[in-house]
C-alpha cells in the first residue's frame, strides 16, 4: 500500500500530547494534526505543511512513529515531533489542549486518533 495521509503526535518535555478541537457546536471532536498527501509531496513535507497551517509552528525532532493500514490499501503514516515556539491556531481550530495518558478519556476523538494516541501512550 501507499502512504496517502500523514499525521503527527506533538509532544512536550513532560510526555503530554497536543490535541485540537474542531467542528461546530454539537459536532466538536478532538484530534491530532495531519492531512492528505498531495501530488509529489514527501511525507515530511506533508506533515510540516499541516502543522504550519493548523498552528503556525515548526516541528522539531520529527521521527516516524508507526504506519496504519486504511481501507483500499492506503496507509496513514504517523510521526512524532515537538514544537518550541508560541502556537497560533488556524481559524478552523476551536481550542488546543495538552493532555496526558490519564486525560484521554475526558475527550471525544474519532476511533482512528484514539487508537493512535493509545498506542503512543503504551510506549
Amino acid at each position: 500500500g501507499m502512504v496517502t495521509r500523514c499525521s503527527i503526535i506533538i509532544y512536550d518535555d513532560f510526555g503530554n500530547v497536543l490535541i485540537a478541537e474542531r467542528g461546530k457546536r454539537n459536532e466538536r471532536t478532538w484530534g491530532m494534526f495531519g492531512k492528505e498527501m498531495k501530488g509529489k509531496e514527501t511525507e515530511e513535507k506533508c506533515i510540516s505543511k499541516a502543522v504550519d497551517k493548523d498552528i503556525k509552528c515548526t516541528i522539531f525532532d520529527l521521527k516516524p512513529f508507526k504506519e496504519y493500514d486504511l481501507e483500499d490499501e492506503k496507509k496513514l503514516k504517523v510521526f512524532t515531533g515537538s514544537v518550541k515556539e508560541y502556537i497560533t491556531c488556524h481559524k478552523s481550530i476551536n481550542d488546543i489542549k495538552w493532555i496526558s495518558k490519564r486525560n484521554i478519556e475526558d475527550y471525544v476523538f474519532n476511533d482512528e486518533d484514539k487508537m493512535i494516541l493509545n498506542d503512543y501512550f503504551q510506549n
Side-chain angles (χ1 to χ4, degrees), residues 21 40 46-47 53-54 56 59 61 67 72 74 84 92:
E21 184 191 55
K40 294 188 171 152
C46 173
I47 209 61
K53 176 184 167 280
D54 282 346
K56 296 190 182 8
I59 290 291
D61 306 320
E67 277 188 12
D72 303 330
K74 295 178 177 174
K84 296 182 171 142
S92 67

Side-chain angles (χ1 to χ4, degrees), residues 18-36:
L18 188 67
I19 57 169
E21 184 191 55
R22 297 177 181 87
K24 297 185 174 72
R25 297 212 178 123
N26 302 335
E27 295 162 21
R28 290 184 173 186
T29 57
W30 291 87
M32 303 175 345
F33 302 91
K35 74 178 197 63
E36 299 284 329

Side-chain angles (χ1 to χ4, degrees), residues 6 14 19 32 48 63 65 68 75 78 80 91 94 106 118:
C6 294
F14 307 102
I19 57 169
M32 303 175 345
S48 296
K63 291 186 183 75
F65 171 64
Y68 293 87
K75 284 186 184 286
V78 180
T80 58
K91 64 179 184 278
N94 303 323
D106 302 342
N118 280 322

Side-chain angles (χ1 to χ4, degrees), residues 51-72:
V51 170
D52 188 51
K53 176 184 167 280
D54 282 346
I55 54 174
K56 296 190 182 8
C57 286
T58 305
I59 290 291
F60 292 87
D61 306 320
L62 185 66
K63 291 186 183 75
F65 171 64
K66 202 166 173 182
E67 277 188 12
Y68 293 87
D69 292 321
L70 307 172
E71 53 204 43
D72 303 330

